[in-house]
Amino acid sequence: MRRGKRPLTLSGVSDDRSKAPLAVFDLDNTLADTTHRQRFLERRPKDWDGFFSAAPQDPPVPEGIALVQESAQECEIVYLTGRPERCRRDTLDWLAAQGLPEGRVHMRRDADRRPARFTKLEILRRLARTREIRVLVDDDELVCADARRAGFTVVRADWVTRSAEMKAAQEREGRT
């Protein structure tokens, strides 16, 4: 979702550092309340298809929505989620339905099971090569800690309570 024309590198990422800084937002439990679908993770085996299929019904998280709207006044918005790529259409539809600012959406490859702290930090570092990152907003404690250690400014989205299953999914199982 490119806005206007920008100088591009071979990777398709803007190399113009004079552009607005980036504000990077996680989705699950930062902008989208996953509480209603965490039950799919309490089953053995976990029902990942059910978990992700229910994502379009996620209610918005008012604190996260307000912060992304406020950030969009000075920053270009980027969405960085641990959701698998197969959820892209539902994710884009949900963002549009909430009236959220347009922005690139970075998702985990479908077969990538690395913990979010690795996949997200890798993407943040790639983005930071060509653009200033003003802030990362994420609910995952380990993602936030690793991003801080790497020198990023972080706001921990602690406004939704994660179940133990959701925490394990994010931090150990590389699923969201």
Side-chain angles (χ1 to χ4, degrees):
M1 290 186 224
R2 288 179 46 213
R3 295 181 198 163
K5 296 188 181 207
R6 317 180 171 173
L8 295 178
T9 65
L10 292 176
S11 66
V13 176
S14 170
D15 63 359
D16 184 350
R17 289 191 178 270
S18 67
K19 296 286 183 183
L22 302 178
V24 181
F25 283 82
D26 173 46
L27 295 178
D28 292 340
N29 291 327
T30 298
L31 300 177
D33 185 344
T34 67
T35 305
H36 73 101
R37 58 187 169 108
Q38 290 180 28
R39 70 184 190 278
F40 292 106
L41 304 182
E42 296 166 1
R43 301 175 184 169
R44 298 291 176 256
K46 293 181 169 113
D47 181 0
W48 290 106
D49 289 335
F51 179 77
F52 289 119
S53 293
Q57 288 75 50
D58 288 352
V61 178
E63 297 89 343
I65 300 298
L67 190 54
V68 76
Q69 297 285 13
E70 178 184 326
S71 297
Q73 294 178 26
E74 294 184 10
C75 298
E76 180 180 330
I77 302 301
V78 172
Y79 300 100
L80 175 56
T81 180
R83 292 179 185 185
E85 185 64 41
R86 71 179 180 274
C87 300
R88 181 170 291 277
R89 178 78 270 148
D90 284 345
T91 299
L92 295 175
D93 290 347
W94 186 90
L95 290 166
Q98 307 315 310
L100 292 172
E102 287 187 13
R104 289 173 286 165
V105 177
H106 295 271
M107 303 181 86
R108 167 192 305 276
R109 290 183 317 275
D110 285 335
D112 188 346
R113 297 288 187 265
R114 292 176 295 155
R117 66 184 185 272
F118 300 129
T119 60
K120 289 184 176 184
L121 195 58
E122 179 181 290
I123 292 168
L124 283 171
R125 286 182 170 140
R126 188 173 67 230
L127 291 171
R129 284 188 214 132
T130 58
R131 296 288 290 278
E132 172 194 348
I133 297 179
R134 171 86 41 95
V135 67
L136 165 67
V137 183
D138 199 297
D139 70 309
D140 186 318
E141 298 166 29
L142 296 179
V143 168
C144 292
D146 283 1
R148 274 192 196 97
R149 275 192 292 277
F152 294 100
T153 300
V154 175
V155 171
R156 179 146 176 271
D158 59 0
W159 34 79
V160 174
T161 303
R162 294 183 301 164
S163 68
E165 290 78 11
M166 183 68 165
K167 187 173 183 176
Q170 288 179 314
E171 297 176 0
R172 290 195 307 269
E173 297 175 29
R175 292 291 192 134
T176 184

